[in-house]
Amino acid sequence: MTQYIFVLFMIPVIVSSTPVLAADIVVNEDFSKVLRFENPRGERLVIVDNVFGSIDVKGYDGDEIQVRIRKSITARSDEKVKEAQEEVILDIFEGAELIEFYVDGPFRRGGDRGIDWRGYRREGYKVVYDFTLEIPKDCQIDLKTVDEGDINVHSIRGDFQASNVNGAISMKGLRGSGEISAINGKVLIAFDSNPKNKCKFETINGDVRLYFQSDLSADFYMKTMNGEVFTDFEVVSLPGRSEMSEKKNGKSAYKVTHMSGVRAGTGGPECELHTLNGDMFILSQ
């Protein structure tokens, strides 16, 4: 039977994007590449740090990274097309246990503050990279994009991280642990093997839908404002969580997170769930 769980709220975040004009110039370029880790038996990590565009990753039984990329330039003029070709580049790093794809351009001027995109009308162009990768299924992954696309992952056994601002995140066939963060998009995660370490799943505007194996044992801590939480696992309530932050005047100071908690099975790894405008689902597959 599906159960309802009441949880508390979090602070909203607002983001926006600027549409392009229909009459502008569009230039598309497709290319592919095969890469290899220098140490094919190590703890391998694949990073895709994108800004505009989608990321699709599929695990397979092999040692190579097979990547197909579509680069799309939309610009107001031929001069702006040339400017985009010169200013926006894709850096690819091949290391012993790391392969990274990094889209660089003037929008990275934000530094530690993140992406500083001044809008299409001001820049005069936009460059979108759509990535499709096949990677060894036991790799770890770290995937990021901001706009113009979703993140989709299939059949990955390693640990994972993914973030998207204006788009959804869907990851199926997972066997690792990790963190997922979206703002304007739904999150769907399906585990072939239940996580053994702490996980965190959050979005501002969208549902969080998690699918676990039937033998799940985990502790869930949840926070939402305009949503509900449902589960078809048998769960029991946990006390509100507090964390020791520091010593003050010889006494232990605790930070109270105001997160509702439930335990599935006998308990185990922690899973945090955060939403603002969306429901949460903890489901058995």
Side-chain angles (χ1 to χ4, degrees), residues 201-271:
F201 309 99
E202 60 182 346
T203 185
I204 303 299
N205 298 308
D207 293 342
V208 175
R209 191 176 292 265
L210 308 178
Y211 292 89
F212 298 92
Q213 297 300 306
S214 59
D215 59 348
L216 176 67
S217 286
D219 293 336
F220 293 90
Y221 291 93
M222 301 156 293
K223 186 187 295 186
T224 187
M225 177 182 282
N226 300 313
E228 300 173 339
V229 182
F230 301 90
T231 179
D232 50 20
F233 288 98
E234 294 294 330
V235 298
V236 296
S237 297
L238 294 172
R241 188 173 65 180
S242 61
E243 301 174 352
M244 187 172 68
S245 57
E246 58 181 319
K247 289 282 188 178
K248 291 184 178 180
N249 299 323
K251 297 181 175 59
S252 298
Y254 287 85
K255 177 182 178 182
V256 180
T257 60
H258 299 293
M259 298 180 69
S260 298
V262 296
R263 171 167 291 171
T266 58
E270 289 186 4
C271 287

Side-chain angles (χ1 to χ4, degrees), residues 3-190:
Q3 302 180 45
Y4 161 83
I5 306 167
F6 174 77
V7 292
L8 299 176
F9 68 89
M10 65 187 293
I11 303 298
V13 175
I14 299 174
V15 297
S16 63
S17 60
T18 303
V20 298
L21 303 178
D24 289 343
I25 300 170
V26 177
V27 177
N28 294 321
E29 178 185 356
D30 295 308
F31 55 97
S32 60
K33 190 173 181 64
V34 176
L35 303 97
R36 297 172 180 84
F37 294 97
E38 294 175 12
N39 180 7
R41 302 305 173 197
E43 292 187 0
R44 298 169 290 179
L45 171 63
V46 177
I47 298 175
V48 182
D49 195 340
N50 199 7
V51 179
F52 301 109
S54 62
I55 304 172
D56 291 282
V57 176
K58 182 178 181 180
Y60 81 109
D61 293 318
D63 292 325
E64 298 177 338
I65 305 292
Q66 302 175 15
V67 58
R68 299 185 304 278
I69 301 169
R70 162 157 283 201
K71 178 182 180 181
S72 299
I73 300 174
T74 303
R76 287 201 303 259
S77 64
D78 291 333
E79 290 75 15
K80 283 295 182 180
V81 170
K82 183 178 179 181
E83 185 177 329
Q85 292 171 334
E86 293 174 349
E87 292 187 346
V88 181
I89 60 174
L90 173 61
D91 288 331
I92 301 177
F93 174 80
E94 296 181 74
E97 298 176 357
L98 170 66
I99 289 180
E100 180 179 10
F101 302 88
Y102 183 86
V103 177
D104 200 4
F107 38 73
R108 297 284 188 179
R109 63 174 70 89
D112 293 339
R113 296 182 291 109
I115 303 302
D116 183 11
W117 169 243
R118 298 183 297 178
Y120 178 79
R121 293 182 182 275
R122 185 166 180 176
E123 300 287 359
Y125 68 79
K126 176 180 277 190
V127 181
V128 175
Y129 283 89
D130 293 314
F131 290 85
T132 302
L133 294 92
E134 291 188 49
I135 70 174
K137 62 175 56 176
D138 59 349
C139 284
Q140 301 177 39
I141 55 174
D142 186 348
L143 312 176
K144 303 173 185 175
T145 194
V146 176
D147 201 3
E148 301 282 345
D150 298 333
I151 294 176
N152 293 288
V153 174
H154 296 271
S155 305
I156 294 296
R157 297 176 179 172
D159 289 342
F160 54 85
Q161 289 190 335
S163 66
N164 196 352
V165 176
N166 293 313
I169 299 176
S170 175
M171 305 178 74
K172 301 177 181 179
L174 300 182
R175 296 191 180 184
S177 308
E179 297 187 6
I180 303 296
S181 175
I183 294 181
N184 296 312
K186 63 183 180 181
V187 171
L188 187 153
I189 307 296

